[in-house]
Amino acid sequence: MLNQEPGNEPAVITVQDGSVLIDGRPVLRHLNLTINRGEFVVLMGANGSGKSTLVRAMTGLRPLARGSVQLFGTELSRFREWHRLGYVPQRPSAAAGVPTSVWEVVASGRLTRRRPLRPKSAADRAAITNALEVVGLADRSRHAVTTLSGGQHQRVLIARALAGEPELILLDEPTAGVDLPNQEALAQALKVLKERGATVVLVAHEIGPMAPLIDRSVVMRDGQIAYDGAPLTDADVHTPLFGGTHDHHHTHPEQFTDHLLNVSSPVDSPEVTP
């Protein structure tokens, strides 16, 4: 399904004039974004900039107050091919204390590919095994998820998404609070996906080991897109130009101001989550 030759197929994600209200207050405002097949796009920005809300709007988890979202050329309200999409939410645990195995959690990712109550096929089992191998947890498949570290939990969630063999995968801050070895394991898993031709949308506060994979950076500020262009470094994004805090990295924003988009004054009440 992946590694297809480019053609005239529609964009994987299209957001047009997207606006989101939370408790009546604007969080995303008149936002336009197109993501094409095979791109690895990172969404960055300060806490409250709207990046997680944007990803949720792309999946239908957060309804738009105005505008539209299309997935693979189909309006979100009419989209039914959910097996084409994998979503890794920002959450602390893969099972929230439920005594279940890594295999069982990952196997639940095949539900979009199977009819209800149908036994797992050889293809299902192969996809589950492959997903565990990609994230480096094949040797822990029968372990209880409650015995895993936070970084390993994130890798289980990614494996669950991969088990459905998606063409598009969206990840919300998968490296938040994760140690460097697990960040590197996550990066290796996403590298395999990219090589297979998947489209990846990654929400990240810090890029870290993901940097070599990124094709395009999109920086959010105050519910709008402040930058959309060539990959930026962590230091670039955290300059005052993007509303970030200044640190000891000395960058030169003038090198990328040509890509800056017009952003109006801040919203009254920014997004609570990053």
Side-chain angles (χ1 to χ4, degrees):
M1 174 167 36
L2 301 181
N3 287 324
Q4 300 171 4
E5 290 299 319
N8 295 322
E9 71 273 15
V12 173
I13 301 174
T14 304
V15 182
Q16 293 180 316
D17 194 29
S19 297
V20 169
L21 301 178
I22 296 180
D23 295 330
R25 296 173 178 173
V27 176
L28 298 182
R29 298 176 294 143
H30 308 291
L31 187 146
N32 295 288
L33 180 66
T34 298
I35 296 175
N36 295 308
R37 185 170 63 82
E39 285 191 296
F40 192 118
V41 179
V42 61
L43 299 179
M44 301 189 73
N47 290 341
S49 60
K51 52 190 185 294
S52 287
T53 295
L54 175 56
V55 167
R56 292 173 191 144
M58 290 173 177
T59 62
L61 295 174
R62 178 67 70 179
L64 294 179
R66 66 176 294 165
S68 66
V69 174
Q70 292 186 354
L71 295 177
F72 301 97
T74 300
E75 289 290 336
L76 188 59
S77 61
R78 295 186 288 107
F79 187 76
R80 298 293 181 269
E81 298 178 299
W82 294 108
H83 63 277
R84 302 179 74 181
L85 183 150
Y87 174 57
V88 180
Q90 185 183 33
R91 62 176 61 175
S93 171
V98 177
T100 189
S101 71
V102 170
W103 174 274
E104 290 169 324
V105 173
V106 176
S108 68
R110 290 296 293 179
L111 293 177
T112 57
R113 292 275 183 180
R114 292 164 43 213
R115 294 177 182 175
L117 304 180
R118 179 182 175 183
K120 295 182 184 67
S121 66
D124 292 329
R125 295 182 180 279
I128 295 165
T129 298
N130 179 259
L132 285 165
E133 290 173 348
V134 167
V135 301
L137 290 177
D139 61 335
R140 294 179 177 268
S141 65
R142 300 304 175 184
H143 290 212
V145 293
T146 52
T147 66
L148 304 183
S149 69
Q152 290 169 330
H153 277 275
Q154 286 287 17
R155 287 156 64 186
V156 171
L157 292 174
I158 291 177
R160 182 177 66 181
L162 300 189
E165 300 176 295
E167 299 170 52
L168 164 66
I169 184 164
L170 303 101
L171 307 99
D172 192 355
E173 298 268 17
T175 60
V178 174
D179 61 19
L180 183 58
N182 275 295
Q183 288 184 35
E184 291 171 342
L186 290 169
Q188 180 59 35
L190 295 180
K191 180 175 182 289
V192 172
L193 275 184
K194 180 175 180 176
E195 290 171 346
R196 291 178 179 178
T199 304
V200 179
V201 179
L202 171 71
V203 175
H205 188 67
E206 301 287 346
I207 299 170
M210 308 289 180
L213 304 176
I214 296 168
D215 299 312
R216 176 178 164 200
S217 292
V218 174
V219 181
M220 301 285 296
R221 187 178 73 188
D222 303 324
Q224 294 182 299
I225 294 175
Y227 172 91
D228 183 351
L232 301 178
T233 67
D234 289 327
D236 291 333
V237 176
H238 293 189
T239 62
L241 181 65
F242 289 124
T245 56
H246 183 70
D247 55 24
H248 295 293
H249 298 282
H250 296 283
T251 60
H252 300 281
E254 64 272 13
Q255 295 176 354
F256 50 81
T257 50
D258 286 346
H259 295 278
L260 285 173
L261 307 180
N262 292 325
V263 177
S264 56
S265 59
V267 294
D268 293 335
S269 178
E271 180 189 9
V272 175
T273 56

